[in-house]
Amino acid sequence: MTDLPDLRPAAEHLATLLGNVADDQLGAPTPCTEYALGDLIDHVGGLSLAFTAAAAKDFSQTGGGPSGDATRLPDDWRTRIPAQLTAMAEVWRDPAAWDGMTQAGGIQLPGSVAGAVAMNELVVHGWDIAKATGQQFRCDAASLASALEFVSAWATEEPSPDSPFGPAVEVPTGATPLDKLVGLTGRNPAWQP
């Protein structure tokens, strides 16, 4: 690979969004229907560690499924998880992270696929958190294009055990790339809390 995606802009924006979440919002619903906001934040914390380990090919840290339980959030989550996101983005700057095989969540996959999954997680869950908390979501064009390319390859119109996403939500012709991405992940781009 010559032009590796840079996870830093998406990670930095997600970290900023997390810093603005109030304690009384942790039970709020999110567009990611299986998670309340606190559960989703715990999931983001877990994925930041899993994909840091995946990039470093540290298989002792890549087992187990995704987290998602607000009761496990540490008291310092507003500083700890953003620091983990920064570390994750930095380790993916090494071209070796994108080469060979790795694993995340107990699943073996090529490094290039793991990096694409990590980018998608940052962008889509950043959107989820922004929507759930009434914050503005920003995404640079390169991060959005990377996430959209990954999701487009996996999206289905019907429920599928092979897809990591729910059935795609139809978006109008001429929808923005962000709305297309969100719809392909099974989320409604017009979702409101």
Side-chain angles (χ1 to χ4, degrees), residues 5-101:
D6 184 357
L7 277 62
R8 289 178 299 172
E12 289 169 3
H13 184 54
L14 180 49
T16 298
L17 293 168
L18 290 173
N20 294 324
V21 174
D23 287 339
D24 63 359
Q25 294 177 304
L26 293 177
T30 72
C32 187
T33 57
E34 58 268 19
Y35 295 130
L37 183 58
D39 301 328
L40 181 57
I41 292 170
D42 177 61
H43 175 70
V44 168
L47 74 85
S48 67
L49 295 174
F51 283 100
T52 298
K57 313 288 195 289
D58 179 0
F59 302 141
S60 68
Q61 301 294 314
T62 60
S67 57
D69 181 354
T71 64
R72 297 188 321 194
L73 283 174
D75 291 340
D76 64 346
W77 66 265
R78 281 185 190 81
T79 55
R80 181 184 300 196
I81 295 174
Q84 291 170 192
L85 290 168
T86 299
M88 180 180 97
E90 283 303 313
V91 74
W92 282 101
R93 296 188 70 205
D94 182 351
W98 300 85
D99 288 335
M101 294 297 289

Side-chain angles (χ1 to χ4, degrees), residues 145-165:
S146 176
L148 187 55
E149 179 181 355
F150 171 75
V151 171
S152 294
W154 286 94
T156 61
E157 292 183 16
E158 300 295 327
S160 169
D162 297 329
S163 176
F165 310 111

